[in-house]
Amino acid sequence: TKTSLRFAWACYADLKKDTAALELKLTGKVAFLGWTRGEEKLSLLLSSQCFVLPTSNEGLPVAILEALGCGLPVITTDVGSIGEAIADGENGCFVPVHDPAALARAIVRISRDAEGWQRMSRNARRTAVEKFDERLLFEQIGAVYRTLLEGGTA
């Protein structure tokens, strides 16, 4: 069945935005925004239902942490350190690398499951606050430095 999904593609890729949408026959369904930052990025995240990053090579992208902080379930691949932030089925889901069909299924599943989306959204925000809040990270780094300065080992 057809869906009423809309997508915003915000990235650093140098796309000819209007041409890409026309060539792909996606006019009105996909907005190619280019690089976003600041209030524009925050507004985009807060108006989104989920965050999608189908990558094949990453560490732990800040973009994923920002999405979690906005309460967005994250659809991504289990590469690099992404698994430190995303718990499959809890605050997002993993899809195999280079598998567009699995990616599409995950997007549709999250868009159609209101109860599952709400649960993942709550868990996404909780993950950001409990594991990646900057105050917590500064405290942890400070504790390591204090231990080292006192002659201990970290």
Side-chain angles (χ1 to χ4, degrees), residues 3-154:
T3 179
S4 62
L5 293 174
R6 301 227 185 286
F7 298 90
W9 187 344
C11 65
Y12 58 82
D14 183 23
L15 296 171
K16 302 242 185 266
K17 299 170 192 171
D18 298 329
T19 305
L22 286 172
E23 286 177 3
L24 297 171
K25 298 179 182 168
L26 297 172
T27 303
K29 295 291 185 182
V30 177
F32 292 95
L33 304 176
W35 185 256
T36 59
R37 62 179 159 266
E39 291 299 318
E40 180 185 19
K41 177 172 55 174
L42 180 60
S43 176
L44 179 61
L45 288 169
L46 292 173
S47 66
S48 297
Q49 185 175 2
C50 69
F51 181 83
V52 180
L53 183 65
T55 183
S56 61
N57 184 18
E58 294 285 343
L60 178 53
V62 171
I64 284 180
L65 302 180
E66 291 170 333
L68 292 172
C70 290
L72 293 177
V74 174
I75 301 171
T76 189
T77 49
D78 191 8
V79 299
S81 296
I82 292 174
E84 293 179 29
I86 304 303
D88 194 32
E90 295 300 315
N91 60 2
C93 63
F94 290 123
V95 295
V97 173
H98 304 300
D99 190 339
L103 180 63
R105 284 191 302 272
I107 292 168
V108 169
R109 186 173 58 248
I110 284 180
S111 72
R112 291 184 177 165
D113 181 4
E115 186 176 303
W117 177 87
Q118 288 176 345
R119 179 182 51 77
M120 281 193 219
S121 178
R122 282 190 306 271
N123 290 339
R125 179 72 182 137
R126 184 177 304 122
T127 299
V129 170
E130 292 178 359
K131 290 180 71 176
F132 298 102
D133 181 85
E134 66 183 24
R135 291 171 299 234
L136 175 63
L137 295 174
F138 287 142
E139 287 174 22
Q140 292 171 343
I141 291 169
V144 169
Y145 283 131
R146 283 189 296 279
T147 300
L148 291 171
L149 290 170
E150 293 169 0
T153 57

